[in-house]
Amino acid sequence: MRSVRVVSAAALGALAAWSFRPAFDSGAGLAVTWAVVVPAVVVVVWELLTASLLKRTAGGVGTALALLWVVVAAAAVTRPGSAALEGPFRLLTSALPTDAAPPQLAAVSVLSGLTALAAVQVVTRNALLPLVPALLSLGLGLSLSASVGPLPAWYVPVFVVVAVVPVLFHGGSASRVRLVMGVVAVVPAVAAALLLGPADPAVSRPPASAQALVDAPVRPKPHTNPMAQYLALRDQKLVLRIDGTASARVERLGMVTLTEFDGRGWSPGSTYRRAAHQLPAPPQGTAPRRQVSVDLRVLTPDSIGWLPKPGWPRRVSVTDLGFAGDTGDLVVPADGDTPAGYRIESEEPLVPPELLSTDQPAPRADRPDFVLPPDVLAFVDTATAGRHTELDRFLGLYHNLGAEPFHHDSSEEAPSGNGVYQISALLKNHRGTSEQYASAFAVLCRQLGWDARVVLGFKPRWDGDTLVVEGRDVHAWTEVRFDRLGWLPIDPSPTREAPRAGGDPAGQPDRSDTGTVQLPPAHDPAPPSESDATAFPVAAPPPPSESVAMPIVVGAMLLLLLLVPLLNIVRLRKRGRGSTRRRVLQAWGEAVVALRAAGAAVNEHQTTGQVVEAAPVGCVPVLHPFADLVDRAAYGPDEVTEEMALTAAGLRDQLRERLRAASPWGRRTARLFDPRPLVARRRPAEYGQRSP
């Protein structure tokens, strides 16, 4: 049975290391599996050879040689070359999922071998010790990959089964009690690890990630705030030209998302990690999305540092770019060059008005640390007056900012800037650029407590299937986060052009409403009802999964906590069964467990004489006759009578009473959850004679 324990322990180590699988791209399944399995197989072969043929290499020398073989096996499978030591750092600093590059695979492969080796080394000493390195490896894997996505549904059952095998066959044979003990030990640990890590939709918090402990290494190539270049691009003083094709017509190409506003203007605030071909999924949101791919050719690479893209990019043909996990922006690193061409596969939210009507803007955690001018606050009050739901207030703000007399200003005299001063001027003069409209709408949304940010990009011009982007196509819009739908692009700029010198504006509609997100029309504010006058806004009830998942988890943990006392009760009800000889020996085993729980340095493998010598002085008067009775039952020629079994049970109970009287209440309570009595069943041949 030793070979079964060795193989299962090594398999447990490889399975724990396989928890890194979600951190690699979708096509890396075979590569990751091969990388974690081969070192574990090498550990098994080496351990079995050492036990049977190479007994002289046991001990420290054997362990050192096993470590060497693990490293050799990992290097042979992954071939990391001179960058072998960079694997852990790349895993911690890359945007996940990452490519299955040799250095990253080598790090996981070596971890798999080390975990398997540690589990195999301790499997013969204690049935539960192999779980320690496996759970540590599982925790490392979850701390990195849980932010990408959950493990497959089969993973937890397989992990539990494989973890129980060393416990089940410890000591050379299987038993029901060992199986129960294995499940009791493994299930809570695995459940706790999975609850602390994966991105469960029923859990509102983001999963913990080891990447938060390491600074993102990518520094953007541009040193100028791109918003400061708005007018230079629009007036074509900064020459920019991009052309290409797309699988579907796109209305916008976002370039950079601006998340920080200090009253004077917007600026990027994201951190960037090194990106591979496959890019992370967008933040949590249930908005339906359409797939679109664009092939772009950058004819003026020195003019941009952020790569334009539609929606949220999921795959890019160029690697080693910087990727912002909160905004989806792609930036050229300071040590890189803007690519001459690239292909991006993206997802765009596709939200009709009736779907948006079922949601509401999401609250922002922090409030602005500056005070808006009175005229700006007065506009907010007017736009939201009489509107009592969050969505109605949002629509009131949006439609009031686009209604008459507001106009879009594309003249050469249009002012630049996007700070509070420019917002106040926009609301006073009713004309401005998309830069000012996007800034005003985002700032006013934040003033009302909603999460909003500004995006700077372009509105491409189409000639059949070909798109063209020049500096004059620069455009800004707002992104607002909704409770369930997630981040949605909202363009607050009206399409009516401001009148030129002495001219009239072209008769254009307020807004085109041709984007992928369409807002419902504004409704006249309804008079407040009695309930509205007295009620405060109440958050929407959590989805059913959130309200049901937590009671289930808590109930399961309580059941596992109470499992040991319940099993002990069942054991006590059944301990009077069996032969009289078995009952005597079982009573002695329970007495030894009670002594050990009370702090005595005893165990079930000691002779009766050794137990008596190590027991507390107050227990010796009971243990002396008890030990004599056990020796007679185990090795005496006479038949064990019913009276001897009853006497053994009485002596056991006397011993427990003495131990209970001498123990503090905390230790007495802990005995209720002590699993050791469940395995205190000994064969008669395991007892030695009491020394005189």
Side-chain angles (χ1 to χ4, degrees), residues 344-365:
I344 286 185
E345 299 174 10
S346 297
E347 296 179 352
E348 284 189 323
L350 194 62
V351 180
E354 57 272 15
L355 180 59
L356 189 65
S357 299
T358 64
D359 205 353
Q360 64 180 8
R364 182 175 173 83

Side-chain angles (χ1 to χ4, degrees), residues 2 4-17 112 114-138 159 162-170 182 185-186 189-190:
R2 184 179 186 277
V4 174
R5 299 198 306 274
V6 168
V7 171
S8 61
L12 187 63
L15 191 61
S112 173
L114 294 179
T115 306
L117 180 61
V120 167
Q121 290 290 319
V122 300
V123 72
T124 57
R125 296 178 176 85
N126 186 284
L128 297 180
L129 283 181
L131 297 177
V132 176
L135 291 176
L136 290 176
S137 180
L138 176 62
F159 188 93
V162 176
V164 166
V165 172
V167 181
L168 184 61
F169 289 94
H170 185 69
V186 174
V190 175

Side-chain angles (χ1 to χ4, degrees), residues 75-98:
V77 173
T78 60
R79 299 181 182 179
S82 59
L85 299 181
E86 299 179 9
F89 179 76
R90 291 190 182 185
L91 283 174
L92 289 172
T93 57
S94 296
L96 302 178
T98 185

Side-chain angles (χ1 to χ4, degrees), residues 108-271:
V108 177
S109 185
V110 170
L111 178 65
S112 173
L114 294 179
T115 306
L117 180 61
V120 167
Q121 290 290 319
V122 300
V123 72
T124 57
R125 296 178 176 85
N126 186 284
L128 297 180
L129 283 181
L131 297 177
V132 176
L135 291 176
L136 290 176
S137 180
L138 176 62
L140 290 175
L142 290 176
S143 69
L144 194 68
S145 61
S147 60
V148 184
L151 291 166
W154 56 262
Y155 185 85
V156 172
V158 172
F159 188 93
V160 171
V161 171
V162 176
V164 166
V165 172
V167 181
L168 184 61
F169 289 94
H170 185 69
S173 63
S175 71
R176 254 185 335 183
V177 174
R178 290 196 182 106
L179 177 61
V180 172
M181 289 296 299
V183 173
V184 171
V186 174
V187 171
V190 175
L194 294 179
L195 285 174
L196 291 176
D200 185 355
V203 181
S204 58
R205 59 163 178 79
S209 175
Q211 289 193 326
L213 305 175
V214 182
D215 292 334
V218 178
R219 297 292 177 265
K221 184 177 183 178
H223 298 290
T224 304
N225 185 345
M227 256 312 199
Q229 299 176 323
Y230 181 90
L231 282 186
L233 285 168
R234 195 200 65 175
D235 297 339
Q236 302 193 70
K237 295 178 181 179
L238 178 61
V239 180
L240 180 143
R241 183 175 176 85
I242 300 173
D243 61 21
T245 59
S247 62
R249 190 181 185 93
V250 294
E251 300 296 327
R252 304 179 195 76
L253 291 176
M255 184 171 66
V256 58
T257 305
L258 306 126
T259 59
E260 305 296 326
F261 185 75
D262 58 2
R264 296 185 298 273
W266 290 85
S267 60
S270 300
T271 57

Side-chain angles (χ1 to χ4, degrees), residues 233-234 457-461 468-475:
L233 285 168
R234 195 200 65 175
F458 305 93
K459 297 187 76 171
R461 288 173 287 115
V468 176
V469 171
E470 295 181 336
R472 59 178 173 163
D473 302 313
V474 66
H475 193 73

